[in-house]
Amino acid sequence: AIEISSYGEKIITNCGGSEIGGKNPAYLKFSAAHSTITLDNTNISEINESNFNRNIIKKVNLETKDDKNLLKFSGTHNGYVRNYKKICKRTLIISKSSELLKGEDTIISTKSIIEKNVYHIRFHLMPEVSTTITENKKNIIIRTKKNNIWMFKSNNEMIIEKSIFVKNDIASETTQIVISGITSTLNTKVEWSLEKI
């Protein structure tokens, strides 16, 4: 999952958690409550109400590259291998010369047969953030509480859905950017970016 902050304010978040009671509701542990990839609306860990999570992920790889002009982070996990024979990969490229973050989310099949699964890539936004989606549904203008303007772009169509953010046991309504589709190739790649304008 990813969280993004800039100019002293968080923009992209996860759905938060309890800070007073100490016990988060089960729904805050769901993969869909995080800014990450899900397949067929399932979790990458097994969740129950007794506060015990059995982690399905057995292998996580992380590669980093520090170049003159950019930072690059690339990570994979095998949380969906057992049920779907898929590996999820997220690559982040951070520009050192401009306020630009590029992302690539790839769903990689470990089998040579194409199996279709529904994927969702979610980016939960902080409650103070407002959004405007453009007509082609591939650009979203984000305005933060401090009136900073960001452009979120994707090579796929996006929608805005309702979400929540929980802090100190209080849930606030907010929104999320959602990119969805069906894995129709052995490697399904979604590109997105966040740039200050």
Side-chain angles (χ1 to χ4, degrees):
I2 186 174
E3 294 189 317
I4 299 173
S5 298
S6 184
Y7 291 93
E9 58 184 347
K10 190 190 285 187
I11 304 166
I12 294 175
T13 184
N14 295 314
C15 286
S18 169
E19 294 180 10
I20 297 173
K23 182 181 177 186
N24 288 328
Y27 64 82
L28 289 177
K29 301 172 189 172
F30 292 164
S31 297
H34 296 81
S35 293
T36 191
I37 308 166
T38 59
L39 290 181
D40 290 345
N41 283 316
T42 57
N43 296 303
I44 54 171
S45 60
E46 293 180 359
I47 298 168
N48 59 42
E49 292 291 341
S50 66
N51 216 19
F52 171 76
N53 296 342
R54 188 162 76 83
N55 206 332
I56 297 172
I57 297 176
K58 301 297 181 193
K59 189 173 183 182
V60 175
N61 290 325
L62 178 65
E63 296 177 9
T64 62
K65 180 181 178 183
D66 190 346
D67 202 330
K68 181 181 178 181
N69 299 315
L70 57 85
L71 286 169
K72 185 175 181 180
F73 303 91
S74 186
T76 62
H77 72 75
N78 67 347
Y80 286 118
V81 165
R82 187 176 73 183
N83 293 332
Y84 299 107
K85 306 297 185 259
K86 301 275 197 301
I87 292 172
C88 291
K89 178 179 181 180
R90 172 165 277 175
T91 299
L92 302 174
I93 302 166
I94 303 169
S95 171
K96 291 183 179 181
S97 58
S98 62
E99 293 161 316
L100 173 64
L101 167 69
K102 290 184 178 181
E104 292 178 359
D105 289 330
T106 309
I107 302 163
I108 304 162
S109 178
T110 60
K111 293 169 61 177
S112 59
I113 300 171
I114 296 172
E115 292 188 2
K116 295 185 177 183
N117 302 102
V118 176
Y119 66 83
H120 291 85
I121 305 171
R122 302 178 187 278
F123 301 89
H124 297 272
L125 301 170
M126 290 297 288
E128 302 88 5
V129 168
S130 66
T131 58
T132 304
I133 192 164
T134 59
E135 193 173 334
N136 69 2
K137 298 182 181 177
K138 293 185 177 182
N139 304 291
I140 295 175
I141 300 165
I142 297 172
R143 182 185 295 273
T144 69
K145 185 178 181 180
K146 294 182 179 180
N147 284 321
N148 290 310
I149 309 294
W150 296 81
M151 181 68 77
F152 191 98
K153 296 181 180 182
S154 176
N155 63 332
N156 286 30
E157 288 189 2
M158 301 177 281
I159 59 171
I160 303 289
E161 291 186 353
K162 290 182 179 179
S163 182
I164 62 163
F165 179 73
V166 177
K167 184 177 181 181
N168 295 329
D169 294 328
I170 298 170
S172 302
E173 281 192 15
T174 187
T175 56
Q176 60 180 308
I177 298 168
V178 182
I179 307 169
S180 61
I182 297 173
T183 56
S184 56
T185 60
L186 293 178
N187 291 339
T188 300
K189 182 187 287 187
V190 176
E191 297 175 353
W192 52 268
S193 65
L194 182 67
E195 183 174 17
K196 192 171 187 300
I197 57 174

